[in-house]
Amino acid sequence: MAPRSGKSLNKNNPNANILTLAFGPEKQGMVTYMVLEDRRHVEILKVMWLGL
């Protein structure tokens, strides 16, 4: 996964550092993460699983 493959959490700022990405066969999960490009680091903030 590339760090910028998610969607910005802030729709008014598409280049914001906090992004979300749906995952799973039917997109039942969502991860929210922060990209710190100057440090080449990704911090996971929240993982939600809505599937059964």
Side-chain angles (χ1 to χ4, degrees):
M1 170 177 118
R4 289 281 172 188
S5 59
K7 294 182 181 177
S8 175
L9 190 63
N10 182 348
K11 295 182 192 298
N12 295 323
N13 183 2
N15 295 319
N17 289 344
I18 299 179
L19 301 115
T20 61
L21 181 69
F23 64 91
E26 296 178 25
K27 307 291 186 211
Q28 310 97 309
M30 180 180 287
V31 63
T32 303
Y33 60 99
M34 179 172 49
V35 177
L36 303 171
E37 292 187 41
D38 59 330
R39 292 198 236 161
R40 297 179 49 97
H41 183 79
V42 174
E43 192 77 32
I44 305 295
L45 303 175
K46 183 192 292 188
V47 177
M48 294 188 327
W49 182 255
L50 305 173
L52 298 175

Short mmCIF file of all heavy atoms in Angstrom, two decimals:
data_model
loop_
_atom_site.label_atom_id
_atom_site.label_comp_id
_atom_site.label_asym_id
_atom_site.label_seq_id
_atom_site.Cartn_x
_atom_site.Cartn_y
_atom_site.Cartn_z
N MET A 1 0.84 -1.17 0.00
CA MET A 1 0.00 0.00 0.00
C MET A 1 0.90 1.24 0.00
O MET A 1 1.82 1.35 0.78
CB MET A 1 -0.89 -0.04 1.24
CG MET A 1 -1.63 1.23 1.48
SD MET A 1 -2.73 1.09 2.90
CE MET A 1 -2.02 2.31 3.95
N ALA A 2 0.59 2.17 -0.85
CA ALA A 2 1.30 3.45 -0.87
C ALA A 2 0.66 4.38 0.16
O ALA A 2 -0.57 4.38 0.30
CB ALA A 2 1.22 4.06 -2.26
N PRO A 3 1.45 5.17 0.88
CA PRO A 3 0.88 6.03 1.93
C PRO A 3 -0.23 6.96 1.45
O PRO A 3 -1.15 7.24 2.19
CB PRO A 3 2.09 6.82 2.42
CG PRO A 3 3.25 5.95 2.13
CD PRO A 3 2.90 5.23 0.86
N ARG A 4 -0.16 7.42 0.25
CA ARG A 4 -1.16 8.37 -0.26
C ARG A 4 -2.28 7.68 -1.04
O ARG A 4 -3.01 8.33 -1.77
CB ARG A 4 -0.50 9.42 -1.14
CG ARG A 4 0.35 10.39 -0.36
CD ARG A 4 -0.52 11.40 0.28
NE ARG A 4 0.23 12.27 1.20
CZ ARG A 4 -0.36 13.11 1.98
NH1 ARG A 4 -1.65 13.25 1.98
NH2 ARG A 4 0.34 13.85 2.80
N SER A 5 -2.47 6.39 -0.84
CA SER A 5 -3.53 5.68 -1.57
C SER A 5 -4.92 5.89 -0.98
O SER A 5 -5.91 5.57 -1.61
CB SER A 5 -3.22 4.18 -1.66
OG SER A 5 -3.09 3.63 -0.38
N GLY A 6 -5.00 6.46 0.21
CA GLY A 6 -6.29 6.74 0.84
C GLY A 6 -6.86 8.07 0.40
O GLY A 6 -6.28 8.79 -0.42
N LYS A 7 -8.01 8.40 0.97
CA LYS A 7 -8.68 9.68 0.71
C LYS A 7 -8.50 10.58 1.92
O LYS A 7 -8.55 10.13 3.06
CB LYS A 7 -10.17 9.46 0.47
CG LYS A 7 -10.48 8.69 -0.78
CD LYS A 7 -11.97 8.55 -0.97
CE LYS A 7 -12.26 7.74 -2.23
NZ LYS A 7 -13.69 7.51 -2.41
N SER A 8 -8.32 11.86 1.65
CA SER A 8 -8.14 12.83 2.73
C SER A 8 -9.38 12.86 3.63
O SER A 8 -10.51 12.85 3.14
CB SER A 8 -7.90 14.23 2.14
OG SER A 8 -7.85 15.18 3.17
N LEU A 9 -9.17 12.91 4.92
CA LEU A 9 -10.27 13.01 5.87
C LEU A 9 -10.92 14.40 5.78
O LEU A 9 -12.10 14.56 6.02
CB LEU A 9 -9.75 12.76 7.29
CG LEU A 9 -10.78 12.60 8.39
CD1 LEU A 9 -11.65 11.38 8.13
CD2 LEU A 9 -10.09 12.45 9.73
N ASN A 10 -10.14 15.39 5.36
CA ASN A 10 -10.61 16.76 5.21
C ASN A 10 -10.92 17.01 3.73
O ASN A 10 -10.01 17.23 2.93
CB ASN A 10 -9.54 17.74 5.72
CG ASN A 10 -9.97 19.18 5.64
OD1 ASN A 10 -10.96 19.51 5.00
ND2 ASN A 10 -9.20 20.04 6.27
N LYS A 11 -12.19 16.99 3.37
CA LYS A 11 -12.58 17.15 1.97
C LYS A 11 -12.17 18.51 1.40
O LYS A 11 -11.99 18.66 0.21
CB LYS A 11 -14.08 16.94 1.81
CG LYS A 11 -14.50 15.53 2.13
CD LYS A 11 -15.98 15.34 1.92
CE LYS A 11 -16.49 14.05 2.48
NZ LYS A 11 -15.96 12.86 1.95
N ASN A 12 -12.01 19.52 2.26
CA ASN A 12 -11.58 20.85 1.82
C ASN A 12 -10.08 20.94 1.58
O ASN A 12 -9.60 21.91 1.01
CB ASN A 12 -11.99 21.92 2.83
CG ASN A 12 -13.50 22.04 2.92
OD1 ASN A 12 -14.21 21.93 1.93
ND2 ASN A 12 -14.00 22.25 4.12
N ASN A 13 -9.34 19.95 2.05
CA ASN A 13 -7.88 19.93 1.88
C ASN A 13 -7.46 18.53 1.43
O ASN A 13 -7.09 17.70 2.25
CB ASN A 13 -7.19 20.31 3.19
CG ASN A 13 -5.69 20.39 3.05
OD1 ASN A 13 -5.14 20.19 1.97
ND2 ASN A 13 -5.02 20.65 4.15
N PRO A 14 -7.48 18.27 0.13
CA PRO A 14 -7.15 16.93 -0.36
C PRO A 14 -5.70 16.52 -0.10
O PRO A 14 -5.37 15.35 -0.19
CB PRO A 14 -7.44 17.01 -1.86
CG PRO A 14 -7.48 18.46 -2.19
CD PRO A 14 -7.85 19.18 -0.93
N ASN A 15 -4.83 17.46 0.26
CA ASN A 15 -3.43 17.15 0.54
C ASN A 15 -3.14 17.04 2.03
O ASN A 15 -1.98 17.02 2.44
CB ASN A 15 -2.52 18.21 -0.08
CG ASN A 15 -2.61 18.20 -1.59
OD1 ASN A 15 -2.66 17.14 -2.20
ND2 ASN A 15 -2.67 19.36 -2.19
N ALA A 16 -4.19 16.96 2.85
CA ALA A 16 -4.01 16.84 4.30
C ALA A 16 -3.27 15.55 4.64
O ALA A 16 -3.27 14.59 3.86
CB ALA A 16 -5.36 16.88 4.99
N ASN A 17 -2.67 15.52 5.82
CA ASN A 17 -1.87 14.36 6.23
C ASN A 17 -2.68 13.24 6.86
O ASN A 17 -2.15 12.17 7.09
CB ASN A 17 -0.79 14.81 7.22
CG ASN A 17 0.28 15.61 6.54
OD1 ASN A 17 0.40 15.60 5.32
ND2 ASN A 17 1.07 16.31 7.32
N ILE A 18 -3.96 13.46 7.17
CA ILE A 18 -4.79 12.41 7.75
C ILE A 18 -5.71 11.87 6.66
O ILE A 18 -6.46 12.62 6.04
CB ILE A 18 -5.58 12.91 8.96
CG1 ILE A 18 -4.58 13.36 10.04
CG2 ILE A 18 -6.50 11.82 9.51
CD1 ILE A 18 -5.21 13.90 11.30
N LEU A 19 -5.61 10.55 6.43
CA LEU A 19 -6.34 9.91 5.35
C LEU A 19 -7.13 8.71 5.85
O LEU A 19 -6.87 8.20 6.94
CB LEU A 19 -5.36 9.44 4.27
CG LEU A 19 -4.52 10.56 3.66
CD1 LEU A 19 -3.08 10.35 4.01
CD2 LEU A 19 -4.73 10.63 2.19
N THR A 20 -8.10 8.27 5.05
CA THR A 20 -8.85 7.05 5.34
C THR A 20 -8.77 6.12 4.13
O THR A 20 -8.61 6.57 3.00
CB THR A 20 -10.33 7.35 5.63
OG1 THR A 20 -10.91 7.95 4.49
CG2 THR A 20 -10.50 8.25 6.83
N LEU A 21 -8.87 4.82 4.40
CA LEU A 21 -8.81 3.83 3.35
C LEU A 21 -9.74 2.68 3.72
O LEU A 21 -9.62 2.11 4.81
CB LEU A 21 -7.38 3.31 3.18
CG LEU A 21 -7.16 2.29 2.08
CD1 LEU A 21 -7.34 2.92 0.70
CD2 LEU A 21 -5.78 1.68 2.21
N ALA A 22 -10.67 2.37 2.83
CA ALA A 22 -11.55 1.21 3.04
C ALA A 22 -10.79 -0.04 2.60
O ALA A 22 -10.02 -0.01 1.65
CB ALA A 22 -12.83 1.39 2.25
N PHE A 23 -11.04 -1.16 3.30
CA PHE A 23 -10.38 -2.41 2.94
C PHE A 23 -11.31 -3.59 3.17
O PHE A 23 -12.36 -3.45 3.79
CB PHE A 23 -9.07 -2.58 3.73
CG PHE A 23 -9.25 -2.71 5.22
CD1 PHE A 23 -9.40 -3.95 5.80
CD2 PHE A 23 -9.29 -1.59 6.03
CE1 PHE A 23 -9.58 -4.08 7.17
CE2 PHE A 23 -9.46 -1.69 7.40
CZ PHE A 23 -9.60 -2.94 7.97
N GLY A 24 -10.92 -4.72 2.68
CA GLY A 24 -11.72 -5.94 2.80
C GLY A 24 -12.41 -6.24 1.49
O GLY A 24 -12.54 -5.37 0.62
N PRO A 25 -12.89 -7.48 1.32
CA PRO A 25 -13.52 -7.88 0.07
C PRO A 25 -14.71 -7.02 -0.33
O PRO A 25 -14.93 -6.77 -1.51
CB PRO A 25 -13.95 -9.33 0.30
CG PRO A 25 -13.34 -9.76 1.57
CD PRO A 25 -12.86 -8.56 2.31
N GLU A 26 -15.45 -6.56 0.66
CA GLU A 26 -16.62 -5.71 0.37
C GLU A 26 -16.48 -4.35 1.05
O GLU A 26 -17.47 -3.70 1.36
CB GLU A 26 -17.89 -6.42 0.82
CG GLU A 26 -18.11 -7.70 0.04
CD GLU A 26 -19.34 -8.45 0.50
OE1 GLU A 26 -20.25 -7.82 1.05
OE2 GLU A 26 -19.37 -9.67 0.32
N LYS A 27 -15.23 -3.96 1.30
CA LYS A 27 -14.93 -2.66 1.94
C LYS A 27 -15.60 -2.53 3.31
O LYS A 27 -16.09 -1.49 3.68
CB LYS A 27 -15.34 -1.49 1.04
CG LYS A 27 -14.78 -1.55 -0.35
CD LYS A 27 -13.29 -1.33 -0.33
CE LYS A 27 -12.78 -1.24 -1.77
NZ LYS A 27 -11.45 -1.71 -1.92
N GLN A 28 -15.58 -3.63 4.10
CA GLN A 28 -16.19 -3.62 5.43
C GLN A 28 -15.33 -2.93 6.47
O GLN A 28 -15.79 -2.60 7.55
CB GLN A 28 -16.44 -5.05 5.96
CG GLN A 28 -17.13 -5.98 5.04
CD GLN A 28 -16.14 -6.87 4.30
OE1 GLN A 28 -15.20 -6.39 3.70
NE2 GLN A 28 -16.38 -8.16 4.30
N GLY A 29 -14.06 -2.73 6.19
CA GLY A 29 -13.17 -2.12 7.16
C GLY A 29 -12.70 -0.75 6.70
O GLY A 29 -12.72 -0.42 5.52
N MET A 30 -12.28 0.05 7.68
CA MET A 30 -11.74 1.37 7.35
C MET A 30 -10.60 1.67 8.31
O MET A 30 -10.71 1.46 9.52
CB MET A 30 -12.79 2.45 7.47
CG MET A 30 -12.24 3.83 7.14
SD MET A 30 -13.48 5.13 7.26
CE MET A 30 -14.44 4.78 5.81
N VAL A 31 -9.51 2.14 7.76
CA VAL A 31 -8.37 2.57 8.56
C VAL A 31 -8.19 4.07 8.37
O VAL A 31 -8.34 4.59 7.27
CB VAL A 31 -7.09 1.78 8.20
CG1 VAL A 31 -6.66 2.01 6.78
CG2 VAL A 31 -5.95 2.10 9.15
N THR A 32 -7.92 4.76 9.48
CA THR A 32 -7.61 6.19 9.45
C THR A 32 -6.15 6.30 9.87
O THR A 32 -5.74 5.73 10.89
CB THR A 32 -8.51 6.98 10.42
OG1 THR A 32 -9.87 6.74 10.07
CG2 THR A 32 -8.23 8.46 10.35
N TYR A 33 -5.36 7.04 9.10
CA TYR A 33 -3.94 7.11 9.37
C TYR A 33 -3.37 8.48 9.02
O TYR A 33 -3.97 9.25 8.29
CB TYR A 33 -3.19 6.01 8.61
CG TYR A 33 -3.33 6.06 7.10
CD1 TYR A 33 -2.34 6.62 6.32
CD2 TYR A 33 -4.45 5.55 6.47
CE1 TYR A 33 -2.46 6.67 4.94
CE2 TYR A 33 -4.58 5.58 5.10
CZ TYR A 33 -3.57 6.15 4.34
OH TYR A 33 -3.69 6.20 2.98
N MET A 34 -2.20 8.77 9.59
CA MET A 34 -1.53 10.05 9.37
C MET A 34 -0.20 9.79 8.68
O MET A 34 0.56 8.91 9.10
CB MET A 34 -1.29 10.75 10.71
CG MET A 34 -0.58 12.05 10.59
SD MET A 34 -0.48 12.98 12.16
CE MET A 34 0.09 11.77 13.31
N VAL A 35 0.07 10.54 7.63
CA VAL A 35 1.31 10.41 6.88
C VAL A 35 2.26 11.53 7.29
O VAL A 35 1.90 12.70 7.21
CB VAL A 35 1.04 10.47 5.36
CG1 VAL A 35 2.34 10.40 4.58
CG2 VAL A 35 0.09 9.38 4.92
N LEU A 36 3.44 11.14 7.75
CA LEU A 36 4.49 12.11 8.09
C LEU A 36 5.60 11.93 7.05
O LEU A 36 6.55 11.16 7.26
CB LEU A 36 5.00 11.87 9.50
CG LEU A 36 3.93 11.93 10.60
CD1 LEU A 36 4.49 11.47 11.92
CD2 LEU A 36 3.35 13.32 10.69
N GLU A 37 5.45 12.61 5.93
CA GLU A 37 6.35 12.39 4.79
C GLU A 37 7.78 12.78 5.09
O GLU A 37 8.70 12.11 4.62
CB GLU A 37 5.82 13.13 3.57
CG GLU A 37 4.53 12.51 3.08
CD GLU A 37 4.04 13.10 1.79
OE1 GLU A 37 4.87 13.34 0.90
OE2 GLU A 37 2.83 13.31 1.68
N ASP A 38 8.00 13.83 5.86
CA ASP A 38 9.37 14.25 6.15
C ASP A 38 10.14 13.20 6.94
O ASP A 38 11.35 13.10 6.84
CB ASP A 38 9.39 15.60 6.87
CG ASP A 38 8.62 15.58 8.19
OD1 ASP A 38 7.64 14.82 8.30
OD2 ASP A 38 8.99 16.36 9.09
N ARG A 39 9.40 12.36 7.70
CA ARG A 39 10.02 11.28 8.47
C ARG A 39 9.88 9.92 7.78
O ARG A 39 10.33 8.91 8.32
CB ARG A 39 9.40 11.19 9.85
CG ARG A 39 9.72 12.35 10.71
CD ARG A 39 9.47 11.99 12.14
NE ARG A 39 8.55 12.94 12.75
CZ ARG A 39 7.88 12.70 13.85
NH1 ARG A 39 7.99 11.54 14.45
NH2 ARG A 39 7.08 13.61 14.33
N ARG A 40 9.17 9.91 6.64
CA ARG A 40 8.88 8.65 5.93
C ARG A 40 8.20 7.67 6.88
O ARG A 40 8.60 6.52 7.04
CB ARG A 40 10.15 8.06 5.32
CG ARG A 40 10.76 8.96 4.26
CD ARG A 40 12.02 8.39 3.67
NE ARG A 40 11.90 7.02 3.25
CZ ARG A 40 11.65 6.61 2.00
NH1 ARG A 40 11.51 7.49 1.06
NH2 ARG A 40 11.56 5.34 1.72
N HIS A 41 7.13 8.16 7.54
CA HIS A 41 6.46 7.41 8.60
C HIS A 41 4.94 7.50 8.43
O HIS A 41 4.41 8.55 8.05
CB HIS A 41 6.86 8.02 9.95
CG HIS A 41 6.31 7.31 11.13
ND1 HIS A 41 6.84 6.14 11.61
CD2 HIS A 41 5.27 7.61 11.93
CE1 HIS A 41 6.14 5.76 12.67
NE2 HIS A 41 5.18 6.64 12.88
N VAL A 42 4.26 6.40 8.71
CA VAL A 42 2.80 6.37 8.71
C VAL A 42 2.35 5.92 10.09
O VAL A 42 2.81 4.89 10.60
CB VAL A 42 2.24 5.41 7.62
CG1 VAL A 42 0.73 5.27 7.75
CG2 VAL A 42 2.63 5.91 6.24
N GLU A 43 1.45 6.68 10.70
CA GLU A 43 0.92 6.37 12.03
C GLU A 43 -0.54 5.96 11.89
O GLU A 43 -1.36 6.73 11.37
CB GLU A 43 1.05 7.63 12.89
CG GLU A 43 0.82 7.44 14.34
CD GLU A 43 2.00 6.79 15.04
OE1 GLU A 43 3.15 6.99 14.66
OE2 GLU A 43 1.71 6.07 16.02
N ILE A 44 -0.88 4.75 12.35
CA ILE A 44 -2.27 4.27 12.32
C ILE A 44 -3.02 4.92 13.48
O ILE A 44 -2.60 4.80 14.64
CB ILE A 44 -2.34 2.73 12.44
CG1 ILE A 44 -1.51 2.06 11.36
CG2 ILE A 44 -3.79 2.28 12.43
CD1 ILE A 44 -1.98 2.29 9.96
N LEU A 45 -4.13 5.59 13.18
CA LEU A 45 -4.91 6.27 14.21
C LEU A 45 -6.12 5.47 14.65
O LEU A 45 -6.47 5.46 15.83
CB LEU A 45 -5.36 7.64 13.70
CG LEU A 45 -4.23 8.58 13.24
CD1 LEU A 45 -4.82 9.84 12.64
CD2 LEU A 45 -3.29 8.89 14.39
N LYS A 46 -6.80 4.81 13.70
CA LYS A 46 -8.00 4.06 14.03
C LYS A 46 -8.24 2.98 12.98
O LYS A 46 -8.05 3.21 11.80
CB LYS A 46 -9.22 5.00 14.05
CG LYS A 46 -10.51 4.31 14.46
CD LYS A 46 -11.75 5.15 14.20
CE LYS A 46 -11.82 6.36 15.08
NZ LYS A 46 -13.12 7.07 14.94
N VAL A 47 -8.68 1.81 13.43
CA VAL A 47 -9.08 0.73 12.54
C VAL A 47 -10.50 0.32 12.95
O VAL A 47 -10.74 0.03 14.13
CB VAL A 47 -8.14 -0.49 12.62
CG1 VAL A 47 -8.63 -1.60 11.72
CG2 VAL A 47 -6.72 -0.08 12.26
N MET A 48 -11.41 0.31 11.99
CA MET A 48 -12.79 -0.11 12.25
C MET A 48 -13.12 -1.27 11.32
O MET A 48 -12.77 -1.25 10.15
CB MET A 48 -13.78 1.03 11.99
CG MET A 48 -13.62 2.17 12.95
SD MET A 48 -14.89 3.45 12.85
CE MET A 48 -15.37 3.52 11.17
N TRP A 49 -13.81 -2.28 11.86
CA TRP A 49 -14.27 -3.41 11.06
C TRP A 49 -15.77 -3.51 11.23
O TRP A 49 -16.27 -3.69 12.34
CB TRP A 49 -13.58 -4.70 11.51
CG TRP A 49 -13.99 -5.86 10.70
CD1 TRP A 49 -14.85 -6.86 11.05
CD2 TRP A 49 -13.56 -6.16 9.37
NE1 TRP A 49 -15.00 -7.76 10.03
CE2 TRP A 49 -14.21 -7.35 8.98
CE3 TRP A 49 -12.72 -5.53 8.47
CZ2 TRP A 49 -14.02 -7.93 7.73
CZ3 TRP A 49 -12.55 -6.11 7.23
CH2 TRP A 49 -13.18 -7.29 6.87
N LEU A 50 -16.51 -3.37 10.14
CA LEU A 50 -17.95 -3.39 10.19
C LEU A 50 -18.55 -4.71 9.72
O LEU A 50 -19.75 -4.89 9.75
CB LEU A 50 -18.52 -2.23 9.35
CG LEU A 50 -17.99 -0.86 9.76
CD1 LEU A 50 -18.48 0.20 8.78
CD2 LEU A 50 -18.39 -0.52 11.17
N GLY A 51 -17.71 -5.62 9.24
CA GLY A 51 -18.18 -6.91 8.73
C GLY A 51 -18.53 -7.87 9.85
O GLY A 51 -18.23 -7.65 11.02
N LEU A 52 -19.17 -8.94 9.48
CA LEU A 52 -19.56 -9.97 10.46
C LEU A 52 -18.54 -11.06 10.52
O LEU A 52 -17.90 -11.47 9.70
CB LEU A 52 -20.92 -10.54 10.09
CG LEU A 52 -22.05 -9.50 10.12
CD1 LEU A 52 -23.33 -10.12 9.62
CD2 LEU A 52 -22.24 -8.98 11.53
#
